[in-house]
C-alpha cells in the first residue's frame, strides 16, 4: 500500500461528500502517527464516522474536548449557552461581589464540554457537577472535567445529585436532547447513525426532557440562579411556557451568527 498524500486524502474525502475536505485532510494528517493509522482514519471518515470521533477530540470554546465513540459531539452553536451563562454570572458578580465559588450544574453533560468551558471562561473559582445517563458519556466527561476538578455523576437528570446542592446552584446548564422523535430519521447520517438515540430524541415535540429540567430546576437553583437550555427556534415559546409553569421567569436569547436559540430561566428571589 502506498502512503496517502494530502491531495489523495482530500480527493477521498471529497468523493465521500465531506464539505470541508481540505480542512479535514489537514487535521487527519496532523493526527495520524503513521501512514497505516492515517489510512485507517480516512477509511473511518469515508464510512461516515464524525471527524471528531475519528481524531478523538472536538474544539469547543477554544478547548480541546476528548470525544469517545458514541458520545455526542458538542456543536459550535452550543458555545452560545456558555457565553450567555458567563455573561450573566459576571454581571451578577459585578453587582454582588463574592469570593465564593460559582456552583455550576451541567445536566445531560455528554462529553462534559459545557461545564468545563464555563469553568475555564469564568474568572471566579467554579464548583462543577455534571450528570449523564449514559456510562460511555460519563467516562468521557470524567476525563474532560478533571482539569477543573469537576465531579461527574451517572444517572437520570438530578436523581444522582447529593442533597448538599439543593438551593445552591447558580448556573444550571442543560443541553438536553431536543429533536422531535419523528425528525430523527431525516437527520444527517453522522448524527443518526453515530450518536445514540438517547443523545438526540426529545420525544413527540422534542421537549420531554426539557420539561423535566424545568420542573426540577427550582429545587436546585439558588434564588437569582439561572437555567440555560438550547432549543430550535420553533420550540422556544413552548420552552418558555414550561419554565414559567415551573415558577421561573423565562426569556429567549438568539445568536444569529451561530444559528443558536437559548432559553434562560431565572429563579427570582422571594
Ligand atoms: C444533546 S446531547 C448534549 C451533550 C452535551 N451537553 C453537549 O452539548 O455536547 C444530550 C445528552 O443528554 C444525555 N441524556 C439524555 N437523557 C438523559 C437523562 N434522562 N438524564 C441524564 N442525561 C441524559 C445523553 O446521554 C446525551 O449525552
Amino acid at each position: 500500500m502506498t502512503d496517502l498524500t494530502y491531495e489523495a486524502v482530500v480527493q477521498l474525502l471529497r468523493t465521500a461528500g465531506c464539505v470541508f475536505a481540505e480542512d479535514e485532510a489537514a487535521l487527519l494528517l496532523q493526527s495520524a502517527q503513521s501512514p497505516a493509522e492515517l489510512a485507517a482514519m480516512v477509511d473511518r471518515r469515508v464510512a461516515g464516522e464524525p471527524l471528531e470521533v475519528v481524531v478523538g477530540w472536538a474544539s469547543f470554546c477554544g478547548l480541546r474536548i476528548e470525544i469517545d465513540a458514541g458520545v455526542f459531539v458538542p456543536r459550535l452553536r452550543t458555545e452560545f449557552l456558555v457565553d450567555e451563562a458567563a455573561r450573566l454570572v459576571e454581571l451578577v458578580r459585578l453587582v454582588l461581589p463574592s469570593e465564593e465559588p460559582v456552583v455550576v450544574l451541567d445536566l445531560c453533560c455528554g462529553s462534559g464540554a459545557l461545564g468545563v468551558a464555563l469553568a475555564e471562561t469564568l474568572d471566579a473559582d467554579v464548583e462543577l457537577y455534571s450528570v449523564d445517563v449514559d456510562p460511555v458519556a460519563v467516562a468521557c466527561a470524567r476525563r474532560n472535567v478533571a482539569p477543573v476538578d469537576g465531579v461527574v455523576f451517572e444517572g437520570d437528570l438530578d436523581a444522582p445529585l447529593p442533597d448538599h446542592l439543593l438551593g445552591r446552584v447558580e448556573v444550571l446548564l442543560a443541553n438536553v436532547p431536543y429533536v422531535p422523535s419523528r425528525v430523527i430519521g431525516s437527520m444527517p447520517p453522522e448524527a443518526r447513525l453515530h450518536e445514540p438515540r438517547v443523545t438526540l430524541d426529545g420525544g413527540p415535540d422534542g421537549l420531554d426532557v426539557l420539561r423535566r429540567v424545568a420542573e426540577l430546576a427550582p429545587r436546585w437553583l439558588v434564588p437569582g440562579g439561572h437555567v440555560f437550555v438550547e432549543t430550535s427556534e420553533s420550540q422556544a415559546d413552548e420552552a418558555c411556557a414550561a419554565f414559567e409553569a415551573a415558577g421561573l421567569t423565562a426569556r429567549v436569547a438568539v445568536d444569529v451568527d451561530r444559528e443558536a436559540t437559548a432559553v434562560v430561566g431565572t429563579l427570582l428571589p422571594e
Side-chain angles (χ1 to χ4, degrees), residues 69-120:
V71 175
F72 185 86
V73 176
R75 310 297 204 253
L76 173 66
R77 65 173 170 272
T78 307
E79 293 183 352
F80 182 51
L81 276 193
V82 176
D83 293 348
E84 277 290 287
R87 199 175 59 75
L88 270 187
V89 169
E90 274 156 14
L91 203 66
V92 170
R93 295 253 159 166
L94 202 66
V95 180
L96 296 169
S98 167
E99 295 299 312
E100 292 297 309
V102 182
V103 178
V104 175
L105 174 59
D106 182 6
L107 290 182
C108 297
C109 69
S111 64
L114 276 68
V116 72
L118 183 60
E120 295 284 10

Coordinates of all heavy atoms in Angstrom, one line a residue, residues 69-120:
A69 N -16.1 7.3 20.9 CA -17.2 6.8 20.0 C -18.5 6.7 20.8 O -18.5 6.2 22.0 CB -16.8 5.4 19.5
G70 N -19.6 7.2 20.3 CA -20.9 7.1 20.9 C -21.2 8.2 21.8 O -22.3 8.3 22.4
V71 N -20.3 9.2 21.9 CA -20.5 10.4 22.7 C -20.9 11.5 21.8 O -20.3 11.7 20.7 CB -19.3 10.8 23.6 CG1 -19.5 12.1 24.3 CG2 -19.0 9.6 24.5
F72 N -21.9 12.3 22.2 CA -22.4 13.4 21.4 C -21.3 14.4 21.2 O -20.6 14.8 22.1 CB -23.6 14.1 22.2 CG -24.3 15.2 21.4 CD1 -25.3 14.9 20.5 CD2 -23.9 16.5 21.6 CE1 -26.0 15.9 19.9 CE2 -24.6 17.5 21.0 CZ -25.6 17.3 20.1
V73 N -21.2 14.8 19.9 CA -20.1 15.8 19.6 C -20.7 17.2 19.9 O -21.7 17.6 19.3 CB -19.8 15.7 18.1 CG1 -18.8 16.8 17.7 CG2 -19.2 14.3 17.7
P74 N -20.0 18.0 20.7 CA -20.6 19.3 21.1 C -20.6 20.2 19.8 O -19.6 20.2 19.0 CB -19.6 19.9 22.1 CG -18.4 19.0 22.1 CD -18.8 17.7 21.5
R75 N -21.7 20.9 19.6 CA -21.9 21.7 18.4 C -21.4 23.2 18.7 O -21.5 23.7 19.8 CB -23.3 21.8 18.0 CG -24.0 20.4 17.9 CD -23.4 19.5 16.9 NE -24.4 18.5 16.4 CZ -24.3 17.2 16.7 NH1 -23.4 16.7 17.5 NH2 -25.3 16.3 16.2
L76 N -21.0 23.8 17.6 CA -20.5 25.2 17.6 C -21.6 26.1 18.2 O -21.3 26.9 19.1 CB -20.1 25.7 16.2 CG -19.8 27.1 16.1 CD1 -18.5 27.4 16.9 CD2 -19.6 27.5 14.6
R77 N -22.9 25.9 17.8 CA -23.9 26.8 18.3 C -24.1 26.7 19.8 O -24.5 27.7 20.4 CB -25.3 26.5 17.6 CG -25.8 25.1 17.9 CD -27.2 24.9 17.4 NE -27.6 23.5 17.5 CZ -27.4 22.6 16.6 NH1 -26.8 22.9 15.5 NH2 -27.8 21.3 16.8
T78 N -23.7 25.6 20.4 CA -23.9 25.4 21.9 C -22.9 26.3 22.7 O -23.1 26.5 23.9 CB -23.8 23.9 22.2 OG1 -24.8 23.2 21.4 CG2 -24.2 23.7 23.6
E79 N -21.9 26.8 22.0 CA -21.0 27.7 22.7 C -21.7 29.0 23.2 O -21.4 29.6 24.1 CB -19.8 28.2 21.7 CG -18.9 27.0 21.4 CD -17.7 27.5 20.5 OE1 -17.7 28.7 20.1 OE2 -16.8 26.7 20.3
F80 N -22.9 29.2 22.5 CA -23.7 30.4 22.9 C -24.2 30.2 24.3 O -24.3 31.2 25.1 CB -24.8 30.5 21.9 CG -25.8 31.7 22.1 CD1 -25.3 33.0 22.3 CD2 -27.1 31.5 22.1 CE1 -26.1 34.1 22.6 CE2 -28.0 32.6 22.4 CZ -27.5 33.8 22.6
L81 N -24.6 29.0 24.7 CA -25.1 28.8 26.1 C -24.0 29.2 27.1 O -24.3 29.8 28.1 CB -25.5 27.3 26.3 CG -26.8 26.8 25.8 CD1 -27.1 25.4 26.5 CD2 -28.0 27.7 26.2
V82 N -22.8 28.7 26.8 CA -21.7 29.0 27.7 C -21.5 30.5 27.7 O -21.3 31.1 28.8 CB -20.4 28.3 27.2 CG1 -19.2 28.6 28.1 CG2 -20.7 26.8 27.2
D83 N -21.5 31.2 26.6 CA -21.2 32.6 26.6 C -22.3 33.4 27.4 O -22.0 34.3 28.1 CB -21.2 33.2 25.1 CG -20.0 32.6 24.3 OD1 -19.1 32.1 25.0 OD2 -20.0 32.8 23.1
E84 N -23.6 33.0 27.2 CA -24.7 33.6 27.9 C -24.5 33.4 29.4 O -24.7 34.3 30.2 CB -26.0 33.0 27.4 CG -26.5 33.6 26.2 CD -27.0 35.1 26.4 OE1 -28.0 35.3 27.0 OE2 -26.3 36.0 25.9
A85 N -24.2 32.2 29.8 CA -24.0 31.9 31.2 C -22.9 32.7 31.8 O -23.0 33.3 32.9 CB -23.8 30.4 31.4
A86 N -21.8 32.8 31.1 CA -20.6 33.5 31.6 C -21.0 35.0 31.7 O -20.6 35.7 32.7 CB -19.4 33.3 30.7
R87 N -21.7 35.5 30.8 CA -22.1 36.9 30.8 C -22.9 37.3 32.0 O -22.7 38.2 32.7 CB -22.8 37.2 29.5 CG -22.9 38.7 29.1 CD -23.6 38.8 27.7 NE -24.9 38.3 27.7 CZ -26.0 38.9 28.2 NH1 -25.9 40.0 28.8 NH2 -27.2 38.3 28.1
L88 N -23.9 36.4 32.2 CA -24.8 36.6 33.4 C -24.1 36.5 34.7 O -24.3 37.3 35.6 CB -26.0 35.7 33.3 CG -27.2 36.1 32.5 CD1 -28.4 35.2 32.7 CD2 -27.7 37.5 33.0
V89 N -23.3 35.5 34.8 CA -22.6 35.3 36.1 C -21.7 36.5 36.4 O -21.6 37.0 37.5 CB -21.7 34.0 36.1 CG1 -20.8 34.0 37.3 CG2 -22.6 32.8 36.1
E90 N -21.0 37.0 35.3 CA -20.1 38.1 35.5 C -20.8 39.4 35.9 O -20.4 40.1 36.8 CB -19.2 38.3 34.3 CG -17.9 37.4 34.5 CD -17.2 37.0 33.2 OE1 -17.5 37.6 32.1 OE2 -16.4 36.1 33.2
L91 N -22.0 39.5 35.3 CA -22.9 40.7 35.6 C -23.3 40.6 37.1 O -23.2 41.6 37.8 CB -24.1 40.6 34.7 CG -24.8 41.9 34.5 CD1 -24.0 42.9 33.7 CD2 -26.1 41.6 33.7
V92 N -23.7 39.4 37.5 CA -24.2 39.3 38.9 C -23.1 39.5 39.9 O -23.2 40.2 40.9 CB -24.8 37.9 39.1 CG1 -25.1 37.6 40.6 CG2 -26.1 37.7 38.4
R93 N -21.9 39.0 39.6 CA -20.7 39.2 40.5 C -20.2 40.6 40.5 O -19.6 41.0 41.5 CB -19.6 38.2 40.1 CG -20.0 36.7 40.2 CD -19.3 36.1 41.4 NE -20.0 34.9 41.8 CZ -19.5 34.0 42.7 NH1 -18.3 34.1 43.1 NH2 -20.3 33.0 43.0
L94 N -20.5 41.3 39.4 CA -20.1 42.7 39.4 C -21.0 43.5 40.4 O -20.5 44.4 41.1 CB -20.3 43.3 38.0 CG -19.6 44.5 37.5 CD1 -18.1 44.2 37.5 CD2 -20.1 44.9 36.2
V95 N -22.3 43.2 40.4 CA -23.2 43.9 41.3 C -23.1 43.4 42.7 O -23.1 44.2 43.7 CB -24.7 43.7 40.8 CG1 -25.7 44.4 41.7 CG2 -24.8 44.1 39.3
L96 N -22.9 42.1 42.9 CA -22.8 41.5 44.2 C -21.5 40.7 44.3 O -21.5 39.5 44.1 CB -24.0 40.5 44.4 CG -25.4 41.0 44.5 CD1 -26.4 39.9 44.5 CD2 -25.6 41.9 45.7
P97 N -20.4 41.4 44.5 CA -19.1 40.7 44.5 C -19.1 39.6 45.6 O -19.7 39.7 46.6 CB -18.1 41.8 44.9 CG -18.8 43.1 44.6 CD -20.3 42.8 44.8
S98 N -18.4 38.5 45.2 CA -18.4 37.3 46.1 C -17.1 36.6 45.9 O -16.6 36.5 44.8 CB -19.6 36.4 45.9 OG -19.4 35.2 46.5
E99 N -16.5 36.1 47.0 CA -15.3 35.2 46.9 C -15.7 33.7 46.8 O -14.8 32.9 46.6 CB -14.4 35.4 48.2 CG -13.8 36.8 48.3 CD -13.0 37.2 47.2 OE1 -12.1 36.4 46.8 OE2 -13.2 38.3 46.6
E100 N -17.0 33.5 47.0 CA -17.4 32.1 46.9 C -17.3 31.5 45.5 O -17.5 32.2 44.5 CB -18.9 32.0 47.4 CG -19.2 32.3 48.8 CD -18.5 31.4 49.7 OE1 -18.7 30.1 49.6 OE2 -17.8 31.8 50.6
P101 N -17.0 30.2 45.4 CA -17.0 29.6 44.1 C -18.4 29.6 43.4 O -19.4 29.6 44.1 CB -16.6 28.2 44.3 CG -16.6 27.9 45.7 CD -16.7 29.2 46.4
V102 N -18.5 29.7 42.1 CA -19.8 29.6 41.4 C -20.1 28.1 41.3 O -19.3 27.3 40.8 CB -19.6 30.2 40.0 CG1 -21.0 30.2 39.2 CG2 -19.1 31.6 40.0
V103 N -21.3 27.8 41.8 CA -21.7 26.4 41.7 C -22.4 26.2 40.4 O -23.5 26.8 40.1 CB -22.6 26.0 42.9 CG1 -23.1 24.5 42.8 CG2 -21.9 26.2 44.2
V104 N -21.9 25.3 39.5 CA -22.4 25.0 38.2 C -22.8 23.6 38.1 O -22.1 22.7 38.5 CB -21.3 25.3 37.1 CG1 -21.8 24.9 35.7 CG2 -20.8 26.8 37.2
L105 N -24.0 23.4 37.6 CA -24.5 22.0 37.3 C -24.8 21.9 35.8 O -25.4 22.7 35.2 CB -25.9 21.9 38.1 CG -26.6 20.6 37.9 CD1 -25.8 19.4 38.2 CD2 -27.9 20.6 38.7
D106 N -24.2 20.8 35.2 CA -24.3 20.6 33.8 C -25.1 19.3 33.7 O -24.5 18.2 33.8 CB -22.9 20.5 33.2 CG -22.9 20.3 31.7 OD1 -24.0 20.3 31.1 OD2 -21.8 20.1 31.1
L107 N -26.4 19.4 33.4 CA -27.2 18.2 33.2 C -27.2 17.7 31.8 O -27.1 18.6 30.9 CB -28.6 18.4 33.7 CG -28.9 18.6 35.1 CD1 -30.4 18.9 35.4 CD2 -28.4 17.5 36.0
C108 N -27.2 16.4 31.5 CA -27.1 15.9 30.2 C -25.8 16.4 29.6 O -25.7 16.9 28.5 CB -28.3 16.4 29.3 SG -29.9 15.8 29.9
C109 N -24.7 16.1 30.3 CA -23.4 16.7 30.0 C -22.7 16.1 28.8 O -21.8 16.7 28.3 CB -22.5 16.6 31.3 SG -22.0 14.9 31.7
G110 N -23.1 14.9 28.4 CA -22.3 14.3 27.3 C -20.8 14.2 27.6 O -20.4 13.7 28.6
S111 N -20.0 14.8 26.7 CA -18.6 14.9 26.9 C -18.1 15.7 28.1 O -16.9 15.8 28.4 CB -17.9 15.4 25.6 OG -18.3 16.8 25.4
G112 N -19.1 16.5 28.6 CA -18.7 17.4 29.7 C -18.3 18.8 29.2 O -17.9 19.7 30.0
A113 N -18.4 19.0 27.9 CA -17.9 20.2 27.3 C -18.4 21.5 27.9 O -17.6 22.5 28.1 CB -18.2 20.2 25.8
L114 N -19.7 21.6 28.1 CA -20.3 22.9 28.5 C -19.7 23.3 29.9 O -19.3 24.5 30.1 CB -21.8 22.9 28.6 CG -22.5 23.1 27.3 CD1 -22.3 22.0 26.3 CD2 -24.0 23.3 27.5
G115 N -19.8 22.4 30.8 CA -19.3 22.7 32.2 C -17.9 23.1 32.2 O -17.5 24.1 32.9
V116 N -17.0 22.3 31.6 CA -15.6 22.6 31.6 C -15.3 24.0 30.9 O -14.5 24.8 31.4 CB -14.8 21.4 31.1 CG1 -14.9 21.3 29.6 CG2 -13.3 21.6 31.4
A117 N -16.0 24.2 29.8 CA -15.8 25.5 29.1 C -16.2 26.7 30.0 O -15.5 27.7 30.0 CB -16.6 25.5 27.8
L118 N -17.3 26.6 30.7 CA -17.8 27.7 31.6 C -16.7 27.9 32.7 O -16.3 29.0 33.0 CB -19.2 27.4 32.1 CG -19.7 28.5 33.0 CD1 -19.8 29.8 32.2 CD2 -21.1 28.2 33.6
A119 N -16.3 26.8 33.3 CA -15.3 26.8 34.4 C -14.0 27.5 33.9 O -13.4 28.3 34.6 CB -15.0 25.5 34.9
E120 N -13.6 27.2 32.6 CA -12.4 27.8 32.1 C -12.6 29.3 31.7 O -11.7 30.0 31.7 CB -11.9 27.0 30.9 CG -11.5 25.6 31.2 CD -10.1 25.5 31.8 OE1 -9.5 26.5 32.2 OE2 -9.6 24.3 31.9

